[in-house]
Amino acid sequence: MNQLDALRQFTTVVADTGDFHQLAQFQPQDATTNPSLILKAVQKPQYAPLMRATVAQWKGRGLDEVMDRMLVRFGCEILETIPGRVSTEVDARLSFDTQATVTRAERLIELYQAAGVHTARVLIKIAATWEGIEAARLLELRGIHTNLTLLFSFSQAVACGQAKVQLISPFVGRIYDWYKKQAGASWDEAAMSGSNDPGVQSVRKIYEYYKHFGIGTEVMGASFRNTGQILALAGCDLLTIAPELLAQLEEADDALSPLGRVLDAQQAKAMALTRWNLDEASFRFAFNEDAMATEKLAEGIRAFTVDTRKLEVLMQQTAD
């Protein structure tokens, strides 16, 4: 058995890519996309015809609408390959506007429905700002399921659980990046790996809190830098993994170091934990106290905004 198969015994494997031609190789249950992954995909020759066809079909419509139609087109192609759900992201520029996020999410769902895709197979990705979490709460009440992304702090996870969102994507690698950068020359890679990795610890804390208090929101670890981080979270509800790391797991022989369950819901239920209750003011204060989360959320929104604009430029050039 390879490590990817071993991981599947404990965790639902999700592919983190916009390159749907890669998916069949790894047989993931679900798939996630974001503006950066879609931008990367459309610059490959095999995806250029898809972008040209989408832009040509909807030429004359607003750029935001054409963008959504292209995202949904990619999502539909992905759903032809996987049995589960695809995550499609709302424009990061709406991260601080609850109503605009709700409106955009509803349009994405309408486009999927027009393509014959059932709502249950789509997760709308939204940045885990206070406004984004509130938008997700409203969408869930309307039967539209959400994936709260760019999640770096326990306070974000608590608020998402209170909002009863379908799924959260706590970022492992970007948390690791921040602490490694802060430590500089004093960083000890070996000592800070596996269960000691700060990104791994963040996801574990969230998972244990959710399972202890019976919170139904799914936990999907995301943004990995190495396979060690992935294996240290075996047992997490889901893990979304880039194709390069999926390939490494597939090539690794599990017999050399057999993988066991690391995160365990039953063990979490027996832990002594304190329940949090956050309103907007207490959320904002708790989040502000976390320098890492504050910086990484802002950085993530800026990065996705830049890539969304680059994608718009490519579409405009294609239309011209």
Side-chain angles (χ1 to χ4, degrees):
M1 183 183 294
N2 61 50
Q3 286 187 332
L4 183 57
D5 289 334
L7 181 65
R8 285 194 174 102
Q9 297 177 102
F10 312 110
T11 292
T12 297
V13 172
V14 180
D16 192 24
T17 182
D19 188 342
F20 51 80
H21 293 305
Q22 289 183 308
L23 291 175
Q25 175 186 349
F26 303 111
Q27 300 180 326
Q29 174 68 23
D30 295 353
T32 55
T33 65
N34 64 43
S36 301
L37 293 174
I38 298 296
L39 176 65
K40 184 178 179 181
V42 298
Q43 294 180 84
K44 295 181 178 181
Q46 61 264 45
Y47 294 109
L50 184 151
M51 184 172 72
R52 285 197 300 268
T54 304
V55 170
Q57 184 177 0
W58 303 105
K59 190 172 182 177
R61 303 289 183 94
L63 203 53
D64 61 323
E65 180 184 341
V66 180
M67 172 76 73
D68 283 353
R69 289 184 179 277
M70 188 165 69
L71 296 179
V72 169
R73 179 72 182 276
F74 266 88
C76 289
E77 294 285 351
I78 288 169
L79 289 172
E80 288 290 322
T81 306
I82 62 171
R85 305 168 295 185
V86 67
S87 291
T88 298
E89 193 149 347
V90 168
D91 192 327
R93 291 170 291 190
L94 305 179
S95 296
F96 301 101
D97 189 329
T98 295
Q99 188 52 55
T101 297
V102 169
T103 300
R104 197 71 171 263
E106 289 177 331
R107 182 167 71 184
L108 287 169
I109 287 295
E110 288 169 1
L111 292 174
Y112 271 113
Q113 289 175 325
V117 175
H118 194 281
T119 306
R121 298 197 70 196
V122 180
L123 294 173
I124 300 298
K125 285 181 79 173
I126 300 169
T129 59
W130 176 263
E131 294 81 2
I133 296 168
E134 176 62 13
R137 183 184 69 81
L138 296 172
L139 290 165
E140 293 286 352
L141 290 173
R142 300 176 193 185
I144 298 174
H145 297 308
T146 56
N147 170 356
L148 274 289
T149 188
L150 293 175
L151 195 146
F152 304 98
S153 74
F154 187 66
S155 57
Q156 288 172 293
V158 170
C160 287
Q162 290 178 184
K164 298 181 178 179
V165 309
Q166 181 68 33
L167 180 148
I168 61 169
S169 296
F171 279 32
V172 176
R174 297 194 195 190
I175 293 175
Y176 160 89
D177 292 343
W178 190 89
Y179 282 100
K180 184 175 181 178
K181 182 179 179 181
Q182 290 294 308
S186 66
W187 179 264
D188 185 333
E189 188 67 35
M192 300 301 288
S193 64
S195 62
N196 294 324
D197 185 298
V200 169
Q201 290 179 338
S202 177
V203 176
R204 181 168 193 150
K205 181 178 179 181
I206 293 165
Y207 174 90
E208 291 172 344
Y209 180 85
Y210 276 15
K211 301 311 176 188
H212 180 82
F213 291 107
I215 295 168
T217 299
E218 300 169 64
V219 181
M220 181 171 71
S223 170
F224 295 104
R225 297 293 178 259
N226 54 66
T227 58
Q229 293 173 334
I230 296 166
L231 299 176
L233 291 172
C236 194
D237 297 330
L238 309 96
L239 297 173
T240 182
I241 306 168
E244 295 79 7
L245 293 175
L246 287 171
Q248 290 179 31
L249 291 169
E250 193 174 56
E251 292 165 4
D253 186 352
D254 187 61
L256 298 176
S257 181
L259 180 65
R261 178 181 292 276
V262 181
L263 303 190
D264 189 290
Q266 294 304 314
Q267 290 180 8
K269 289 177 182 177
M271 300 175 74
L273 300 177
T274 301
R275 185 145 196 169
W276 284 34
N277 288 292
L278 297 175
D279 58 13
E280 181 177 355
S282 56
F283 168 85
R284 291 191 185 280
F285 185 81
F287 186 69
N288 186 70
E289 289 291 284
D290 190 332
M292 176 275 298
T294 304
E295 291 176 22
K296 298 308 286 187
L297 175 63
E299 178 186 278
I301 291 172
R302 286 195 298 268
F304 283 159
T305 295
V306 167
D307 285 343
T308 299
R309 287 173 176 154
K310 288 180 179 178
L311 201 50
E312 288 178 337
V313 169
L314 280 177
M315 290 193 304
Q316 191 63 61
Q317 291 173 343
T318 301
D320 295 341

